[in-house]
């Protein structure tokens, strides 16, 4: 079954069941076990052994991310228990005067935290939930804003863990500077750029449509907040706004510093030296170091000042862990599903590579084709980074170092981010749900129509870019189509609201 069409079945089964049944955990388990059965020739005992062998390996490989999630959950519990989140919400309610303002503040904060998407998803949700709740922004809408600013911002930020992932995906013998190639793709990453423009338009126009519009209407008419009900932390302290802002800022600085440290440090103060440090860093190790430093800092800030007692501080350890259990469980299952599709098992990569090779390449259509394949692969596996590692070497082997390589790699990155967005098993999609405290399937089902709309516009842009062999032409066409689409949908949404 390796490198055949059967390699696509496990993710398709998991995703289809999740969308139909609304049960994520069981759907992922069924998809994983189906893949293990295919790999083991239908032997259920060997399939079970394979499933848990992969799961153990994935947990070991990603233990840093899991530790970071637990520490961030503890930090969230601490700022909530201290009363700092409530104080921030009360302060923000005086500064932010409208629903539109709360949405814009959320997106700007997401764009500011560009270093890592995991960190982005959870931090933005924690800080902005009280404000968006006040202005009756549904948790699904909040999750979409978080998700639509996390990966798109990271994939166009030169200093981020995503830039390092793209750079490391280039073959060592390609003779191409990976970081320079990444920089050249930024203006042609149509999905990321158009998504950021799209959410700004949604907030400024204050409209929603398709699945999101229907969902928002249903929730607002019910008069309830569509929370997962996991926010049960009892407020014990009398913390102020600074007791939230200062730990969050310290966390940002500590994580950035840890990334630079794990990347070998900076021996001279220059953009190139900083970029090299980020390119060589271990983001998971850095996030663990940064979050641990933030916990120690928060202890020193809260306990000596009497904001929390020592016992109250320690109570947040279990509360923070419990809050992260759903995200950790889904991530573990998603990683396991990705593992069963890996080269060592069903080899989904080999199956995809059979469709895209130098002999079958139709050069002018390659950017659009790579966009679609990257979208489908990221959707099926739930990983953008894995998609980079599969498709970028293929693009290099087809084009070498020329303008079409830049456009095609940009299309790979754009398609991977889009597929990651619409995939229920994507780690960033899962973490956006966790950050917004939103039911995961509600987030996925309301986000998909928006993401596919931008994907369609991006696809046309890459067709134009390929046919003209000019990335700027594709960007211009995409921008024009975006403006037309926004104008038409705004008119339709306002007509619908008047009925």
């Amino acid at each position: 079954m390796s490198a055949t069409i059967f390699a696509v079945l496990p993710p398709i089964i998991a995703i289809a069941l999740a969308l139909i049944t609304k049960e994520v955990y069981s759907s992922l388990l069924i998809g994983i076990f189906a893949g293990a059965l295919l790999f083991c020739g239908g032997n259920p005992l060997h399939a079970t052994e394979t499933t848990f062998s992969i799961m153990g390996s994935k947990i070991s490989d990603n233990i840093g991310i899991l530790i970071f999630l637990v520490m961030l959950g503890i930090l969230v519990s601490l700022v909530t228990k201290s009363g700092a989140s409530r104080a921030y919400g009360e302060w923000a309610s005086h500064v932010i005067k409208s629903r539109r303002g709360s949405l814009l503040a959320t997106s700007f904060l997401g764009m500011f935290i560009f270093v890592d998407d995991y960190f982005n998803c959870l931090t933005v949700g924690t800080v902005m939930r009280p404000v968006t709740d006040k202005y009756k922004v549904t948790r699904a809408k909040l999750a979409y804003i978080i998700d639509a600013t996390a990966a798109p911002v990271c994939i166009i930020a030169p200093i981020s863990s995503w830039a390092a992932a793209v750079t490391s995906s280039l073959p060592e013998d390609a003779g191409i500077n990976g970081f320079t190639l990444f920089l050249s793709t930024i203006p042609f990453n149509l999905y990321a750029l158009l998504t950021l423009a799209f959410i700004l338009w949604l907030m400024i126009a204050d409209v929603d449509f398709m699945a999101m519009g229907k969902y928002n209407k249903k929730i607002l008419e019910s008069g309830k907040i569509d929370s997962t009900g996991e926010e049960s932390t009892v407020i014990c302290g009398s913390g102020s706004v600074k007791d939230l802002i200062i730990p969050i800022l310290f966390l940002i600085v500590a994580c950035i510093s840890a990334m630079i440290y794990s990347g070998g440090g900076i021996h001279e103060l220059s953009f190139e030296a900083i970029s090299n440090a980020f390119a060589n860093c271990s983001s998971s190790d850095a996030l663990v170091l940064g979050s641990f430093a933030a916990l120690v800092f928060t202890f020193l800030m809260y306990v000596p000042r009497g904001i929390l007692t020592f016992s109250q501080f320690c109570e947040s350890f279990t509360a923070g862990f419990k809050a992260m259990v759903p995200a950790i469980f889904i991530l573990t299952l998603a990683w396991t599903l990705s593992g069963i599709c890996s080269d060592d098992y069903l080899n989904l990569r080999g199956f995809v590579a059979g469709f895209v090779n130098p002999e079958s390449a139709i050069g002018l259509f390659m950017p659009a084709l790579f966009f679609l394949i990257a979208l489908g692969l990221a959707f099926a596996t739930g990983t953008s980074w894995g998609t980079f590692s599969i498709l970028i070497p293929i693009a290099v082997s087809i084009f070498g170092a020329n303008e079409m390589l830049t456009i095609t790699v940009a299309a790979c990155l754009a398609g991977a981010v889009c597929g990651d967005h619409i995939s229920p098993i994507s780690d960033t999609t899962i973490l956006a749900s966790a950050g917004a405290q939103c039911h995961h399937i509600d987030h996925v089902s309301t986000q998909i129509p928006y993401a596919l709309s931008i994907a369609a516009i991006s696809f046309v842009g890459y067709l134009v870019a390929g046919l003209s062999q000019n990335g700027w032409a594709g960007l211009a066409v995409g921008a024009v189509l975006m403006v037309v689409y926004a104008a038409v949908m705004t008119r339709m949404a306002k007509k619908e609201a008047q009925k």
Side-chain angles (χ1 to χ4, degrees):
M1 300 297 179
S2 179
T4 67
I5 194 171
F6 292 101
V8 182
L9 285 180
I12 288 178
I13 290 171
I15 292 167
L17 285 175
L19 294 175
I20 292 169
T21 66
K22 311 296 184 185
E23 294 291 338
V24 180
Y25 306 114
S26 58
S27 300
L28 284 168
L29 279 170
I30 292 170
I32 292 165
F33 194 69
L37 281 173
L38 288 171
F39 177 73
C40 297
N43 186 313
L45 178 59
H46 291 168
T48 303
E49 291 176 339
T50 299
T51 295
F52 289 104
S53 173
I54 295 172
M55 188 177 295
S57 174
K58 287 296 181 180
I59 290 173
S60 176
D61 292 343
N62 295 283
I63 192 65
I65 295 299
L66 299 183
I67 294 172
F68 167 68
L69 291 178
V70 171
M71 289 193 183
L72 202 56
I74 295 169
L75 188 61
V76 169
S77 179
L78 284 170
V79 296
T80 303
K81 186 184 283 288
S82 72
S85 292
R86 180 180 60 186
Y88 176 83
E90 293 171 352
W91 170 80
S93 66
H94 296 294
V95 176
I96 300 173
K97 301 295 185 180
S98 66
R99 168 187 163 88
R100 183 182 287 113
S102 70
L103 294 172
L104 288 169
T106 302
S107 65
F108 290 151
L109 181 60
M111 293 176 191
F112 175 72
I113 304 175
F114 55 82
V115 175
D116 185 80
D117 55 323
Y118 287 1
F119 180 34
N120 185 309
C121 289
L122 294 171
T123 303
V124 175
T126 300
V127 173
M128 295 307 301
R129 275 199 312 268
V131 183
T132 53
D133 283 352
K134 176 186 176 182
Y135 290 105
K136 295 181 170 51
V137 176
T138 64
R139 293 294 177 84
K141 180 65 177 288
L142 175 61
Y144 173 65
I145 295 173
I146 293 171
D147 210 353
T149 51
V153 166
C154 291
I155 199 61
I156 60 174
I159 299 176
S160 72
S161 57
W162 284 56
V166 174
T167 301
S168 64
S169 297
L170 279 170
E172 294 182 1
D173 58 352
I176 299 171
N177 185 295
F179 188 71
T180 301
L181 177 62
F182 174 78
L183 289 178
S184 65
T185 66
I186 293 175
F188 310 132
N189 195 320
L190 302 187
Y191 182 80
L193 296 173
L194 294 178
T195 295
L196 294 174
F198 180 71
I199 60 169
L200 288 176
W201 161 69
L202 282 179
M203 290 180 288
I204 293 171
D206 198 16
V207 295
D208 276 301
F209 47 90
M210 297 182 182
M212 184 71 78
K214 294 176 182 178
Y215 179 86
N216 288 348
K217 184 178 180 181
K218 181 184 74 172
I219 295 299
L220 294 176
E221 286 177 351
S222 72
K224 299 177 181 178
I225 296 176
D226 52 328
S227 169
T228 55
E230 292 158 7
E231 300 166 282
S232 56
T233 303
V234 177
I235 297 174
C236 303
S238 56
S240 60
V241 174
K242 70 179 182 180
D243 294 309
L244 180 142
I245 293 177
I246 294 176
I248 294 294
L249 287 176
F250 184 89
L251 178 64
I252 294 171
V253 173
C255 287
I256 293 175
S257 301
M259 285 182 176
I260 293 172
Y261 169 77
S262 70
I266 302 174
H267 304 293
E268 60 180 51
L269 192 58
S270 66
F271 179 76
E272 184 178 358
I274 296 173
S275 300
N276 287 336
F278 275 91
N280 296 323
C281 79
S282 169
S283 60
S284 60
D285 291 346
L287 291 174
V288 170
L289 291 173
S291 57
F292 177 72
L295 278 181
V296 173
F297 177 83
T298 305
F299 174 85
L300 296 175
M301 187 174 181
Y302 284 4
V303 176
R305 293 169 55 229
I307 301 297
L308 291 176
T309 65
F310 179 74
S311 60
Q312 290 170 341
F313 186 92
C314 293
E315 287 169 3
S316 294
F317 283 43
T318 53
F321 195 111
K322 283 172 60 178
M324 286 298 164
V325 166
I328 290 172
F329 190 23
I330 297 178
L331 274 176
T332 300
L333 294 175
W335 288 333
T336 306
L337 182 61
S338 175
I340 198 66
C341 297
S342 68
D343 295 0
D344 294 331
Y345 294 92
L346 293 181
N347 194 8
L348 181 57
R349 168 178 174 162
F351 174 67
V352 172
F355 284 99
V356 187
N357 55 68
E359 288 75 23
S360 65
I362 305 173
L364 299 182
F365 293 96
M366 278 294 104
L369 180 59
F370 267 80
F371 175 77
L372 290 180
I373 293 175
L375 192 160
L377 190 57
F379 176 78
T381 60
T383 169
S384 295
W385 290 17
T387 303
F388 301 159
S389 65
I390 293 170
L391 294 182
I392 290 178
I394 298 173
V396 171
S397 70
I398 293 173
F399 293 107
N402 61 31
E403 180 66 16
M404 285 297 288
L405 175 66
T406 299
I407 299 171
T408 304
V409 171
C412 289
L413 306 185
V417 171
C418 180
D420 187 88
H421 261 179
I422 62 178
S423 175
I425 61 174
S426 158
D427 45 8
T428 48
T429 307
I430 293 165
L431 292 176
S433 300
Q437 295 287 309
C438 167
H439 294 286
H440 184 57
I441 293 300
D442 289 338
H443 169 43
V444 173
S445 59
T446 53
Q447 176 166 265
I448 284 177
Y450 281 171
L452 289 181
S453 299
I454 306 305
I457 294 172
S458 301
F459 176 74
V460 175
Y462 285 121
L463 275 177
V464 172
L467 292 171
S468 65
Q469 300 187 48
N470 188 318
W472 296 105
L475 177 62
V477 169
V480 170
L481 290 176
M482 183 74 245
V483 171
V484 173
Y485 176 72
V488 171
M489 297 310 298
T490 299
R491 182 175 298 179
M492 291 177 61
K494 290 184 176 178
K495 282 184 179 180
E496 184 67 25
Q498 291 172 358
K499 292 182 180 179

